[in-house]
Amino acid sequence: MSKPNTLWSWFWMIVGGLYFFLPLLATFEFSLKARKGVYSFLAYERVFADPLFLRTFIFSLEMAVFTALAGILLIFPTVYWIRLKLPQLRGLIEFVSMLPFVVPAIVLVFGLIRVFSGAPFFLTNTFAGTNILLIAAYVVLTMPYLYRSIDTGLQAIDVRTLTEAAQSLGAGWGTILFRVILPNVRVSILSGSFLAVATVMGEFTIASFLVGIRAFGPYMSLVGQNKTYESSSLAIISFALTWAFIGLIQLLNRGRVQTQIAGAH
Amino acid sequence: MTYLLLSNLSKYYGNTLAVENFNLEVERGEFVSFLGPSGCGKTTTLRMVAGFEVPDQGNILLEGEDITYLAANQRMVGMVFQSYALFPNMNVADNVGFGLSVRKMPAEQIRQRVSEILKIVQLEDLQKRYPYQLSGGQQQRVALARALAIRPRVLLLDEPLSALDAKIRVELRAEIRRIQQELKITTVYVTHDQEEALSLSDRIVVMNKGRIEQIGTPFEIYNYPQTEFVASFIGQLNLIPVQVVDREGGLYRIGGQTIQVEQNHRTPLSSQPKLAIRPEEVKLGQVEGWNQLTALVRQVSFLGAIVRIWLEVEGVSLLLDVFNERKLVLPKVNEKVVISFPHHACWVL
Ligand SMILES: Nc1ncnc2c1ncn2[C@@H]1O[C@H](COP(=O)(O)OP(=O)(O)O)[C@@H](O)[C@H]1O
Ligand SMILES: [Mg+2]
């Protein structure tokens, strides 16, 4: 690489870094100002002291985990099958997977309520029913992330030959999917799930219409409207959690990633 | 009873003919190769035996059982791929034991069988390695061990050596044959490399454009090719245009020189008859009772064990191979020489 090129890369990295970190720093600084005249963690203490914080956080985390699981169970076999047997349909499926980016969440949630609150479903009549509806909506909402990452993961391995090798050794579809293919796209599935979880944790529109203040998104919004400093500290907390999560996944996959990359060629 | 019978197999992809009217009988323990240029239908035929493709016509019988429509995972047929296709997430032992664990064999037995088979392919020390930690040759040995571990009824190999370096290729080739003989396993081997097919096989099926050109032992295929395609695809072959003097008597003319051909394996004479002869059948100098031609030396190239001489006969080029010896006297370029070949060594196409 030539010198000017390196300089430019550094320049853009610094510009990008400032763009990213300055607002974060400002928010953090602001969140420390709850007590007049001195920096303190008062706002953070108040947030943690609020029982609603933990309750909504755990509720949304549960929803997020179920969303990721349901999404994987739905999308992984589908993408695998399309790569194996119907490669000509890939364009169409890719288009469908992008629809959630185009259809506004508000439209989605009204549609869901309209269809599933009446006969023969009556899903919104119970907590469990509403939760199921919420998860279903989130599966749709997070589909682009999961689809993309799983599809990219499958692209890196020779799906067809691995499948045939397993078949000739006597394996059925379950064995092939979960013992041969899945372990090789573990990293992509995890990173897709992570994006899905992060999306669900902060989601506002669908949650507020279906479950209201029981979810973390609406709770954060409520705090933001009423309590200035606490809302900044909440933003910082969720950011820290996100990063801890990324770090955890990186840690879990350190050995794995190497295996997969080296095994690809 | 024939062990593996392919009867009247045809397969089309849309309008593309992949395989047509394929008939073959393979005996138990036999090593049969499919040989032909790329796109001639070798892989398609093999995949029908493996159960990855369903023929449009015809049947496949294994030990008398019709397996034409049997699912691939029910066939007990081992397959080795050009790209190795090892499971990247499993180590060598787990790869080799995969087919056994799918069949719910007890772990202890799997361990034993895996060690046993890895010993045969000479990889017993690498059980804990992952595929990415192995060389190409080692990976293909693991793939072979994995296919053999289930004790398949037939072993299928699709260009298993094509991705390897020349040296490893020759080594592993010998290894495959040794293992095949040791286990007496019925084997179908696909290759476009004639040397591989000739050196490995009990019999060779030469294919072209989806059809069988000839089936025979390597010796038969090489020495008695039945079609022009087989003759020119396998080995070096001189083809020299000739004029017919007396077809029944086997008399032909090249320019002003007359030659005699023993018509022991005749093929239909084409509109432009050509004399066919292998370079190693042509000798320098006069031999009593043989055909003789005068020729001009164009180039001499020393290949080691063999010296290849490019000649020109009546304006047509002709190759001549001689074995190297220390006392060999090589002709000079542009020298006029006499060459000879026996009547039985040549034929007219
Ligand atoms: N899945 C497929 N779809 C369409 N055409 C195919 C397919 N597989 C093979 N063919 C065609 O069938 C013919 C035989 O192919 P193949 O059996 O792979 O030849 P080989 O293995 O001898 O190189 C070729 O013309 C090839 O293009
Ligand atoms: Mg092929």
Side-chain angles (χ1 to χ4, degrees), chain B residues 148-160:
Chain B
L148 290 171
I150 60 166
R151 307 222 166 117
R153 299 193 282 180
V154 182
L155 177 65
L156 308 175
L157 304 103
D158 191 355
E159 312 234 6

Side-chain angles (χ1 to χ4, degrees), chain A residues 105-157:
Chain A
I106 190 85
V107 173
L108 180 67
V109 75
F110 276 129
L112 282 172
I113 290 174
R114 240 200 136 79
V115 173
F116 290 101
S117 63
F121 302 106
F122 300 111
L123 275 181
T124 46
N125 289 2
T126 59
F127 271 169
T130 319
N131 291 353
I132 288 172
L133 199 56
L134 184 65
I135 291 169
Y138 282 159
V139 167
V140 173
L141 194 72
T142 57
M143 186 160 69
Y145 307 115
L146 269 177
Y147 174 82
R148 285 269 142 180
S149 54
I150 292 176
D151 194 52
T152 311
L154 286 175
Q155 193 158 29
I157 59 173

Side-chain angles (χ1 to χ4, degrees), chain B residues 43 46-47 79-82 156-161 188 190:
Chain B
T43 297
L46 199 74
R47 290 170 59 80
M79 180 95 184
V80 176
F81 301 84
Q82 180 180 340
L156 308 175
L157 304 103
D158 191 355
E159 312 234 6
L161 306 179
V188 182
V190 161

Side-chain angles (χ1 to χ4, degrees), chain A residues 160, chain B residues 11-14 16-19 34-47 53 158-159 190-192 207 209-210:
Chain A
R160 186 164 152 197
Chain B
K11 174 81 189 174
Y12 301 85
Y13 292 105
T16 317
L17 173 156
V19 182
F34 296 169
L35 174 63
S38 168
C40 72
K42 309 178 294 287
T43 297
T44 304
T45 311
L46 199 74
R47 290 170 59 80
E53 303 283 353
D158 191 355
E159 312 234 6
V190 161
T191 180
H192 64 266
M207 296 176 66
K209 296 185 181 150

Side-chain angles (χ1 to χ4, degrees), chain A residues 2-264:
Chain A
S2 62
K3 265 241 150 74
N5 237 331
T6 322
L7 273 178
W8 275 113
S9 341
W10 277 108
F11 173 76
W12 286 117
M13 264 189 51
I14 289 166
V15 169
L18 286 179
Y19 183 79
F20 187 74
F21 280 107
L22 271 184
L24 201 65
L25 268 174
T27 310
F28 181 60
E29 200 255 6
F30 184 73
S31 74
L32 298 178
K33 283 184 176 166
R35 189 163 285 147
K36 270 220 162 62
V38 283
Y39 284 141
S40 74
F41 283 99
L42 184 63
Y44 292 83
E45 280 161 31
R46 286 199 196 130
V47 164
F48 284 122
D50 183 356
L52 257 187
F53 167 76
L54 199 65
R55 207 185 306 154
T56 57
F57 184 82
I58 287 176
F59 174 81
S60 282
L61 192 63
E62 279 169 5
M63 294 299 108
V65 169
F66 281 122
T67 299
L69 283 179
I72 292 166
L73 280 178
L74 180 73
I75 293 165
F76 169 60
T78 310
V79 178
Y80 166 75
W81 195 253
I82 284 162
R83 280 206 161 259
L84 190 68
K85 301 274 181 183
L86 306 163
Q88 67 275 15
L89 283 189
R90 267 194 68 212
L92 178 72
I93 297 294
E94 215 170 304
F95 172 74
V96 169
S97 80
M98 287 299 139
L99 280 180
F101 280 161
V102 186
V103 178
I106 190 85
V107 173
L108 180 67
V109 75
F110 276 129
L112 282 172
I113 290 174
R114 240 200 136 79
V115 173
F116 290 101
S117 63
F121 302 106
F122 300 111
L123 275 181
T124 46
N125 289 2
T126 59
F127 271 169
T130 319
N131 291 353
I132 288 172
L133 199 56
L134 184 65
I135 291 169
Y138 282 159
V139 167
V140 173
L141 194 72
T142 57
M143 186 160 69
Y145 307 115
L146 269 177
Y147 174 82
R148 285 269 142 180
S149 54
I150 292 176
D151 194 52
T152 311
L154 286 175
Q155 193 158 29
I157 59 173
D158 186 348
V159 167
R160 186 164 152 197
T161 315
L162 287 182
T163 300
E164 287 175 355
Q167 275 179 323
S168 74
L169 292 166
W173 291 117
T175 310
I176 295 172
L177 263 177
F178 292 104
R179 279 185 62 192
V180 175
I181 306 296
L182 186 77
N184 293 302
V185 291
R186 228 185 56 149
V187 177
S188 341
I189 287 188
L190 271 177
S191 56
S193 315
F194 164 71
L195 286 173
V197 167
T199 308
V200 171
M201 290 306 292
E203 202 283 331
F204 171 75
T205 316
I206 297 176
S208 62
F209 276 97
L210 281 178
V211 296
I213 196 67
R214 279 162 61 210
F216 194 56
Y219 169 74
M220 279 205 291
S221 150
L222 191 73
V223 171
Q225 281 163 22
N226 303 330
K227 306 173 183 173
T228 331
Y229 298 104
E230 279 84 339
S231 77
S232 302
S233 68
L234 253 182
I236 296 295
I237 289 169
S238 48
F239 204 80
L241 281 171
T242 308
W243 276 42
F245 207 25
I246 293 182
L248 202 68
I249 286 178
Q250 291 284 328
L251 211 67
L252 282 175
N253 283 298
R254 189 161 287 169
R256 281 282 164 171
V257 175
Q258 256 171 14
T259 312
Q260 209 176 347
I261 289 168

Side-chain angles (χ1 to χ4, degrees), chain B residues 197-218:
Chain B
L198 290 169
S199 66
L200 280 169
S201 320
D202 294 317
R203 280 191 306 151
I204 297 174
V205 179
V206 184
M207 296 176 66
N208 184 29
K209 296 185 181 150
R211 294 191 185 78
I212 294 180
E213 290 272 337
Q214 189 175 350
I215 304 178
T217 64

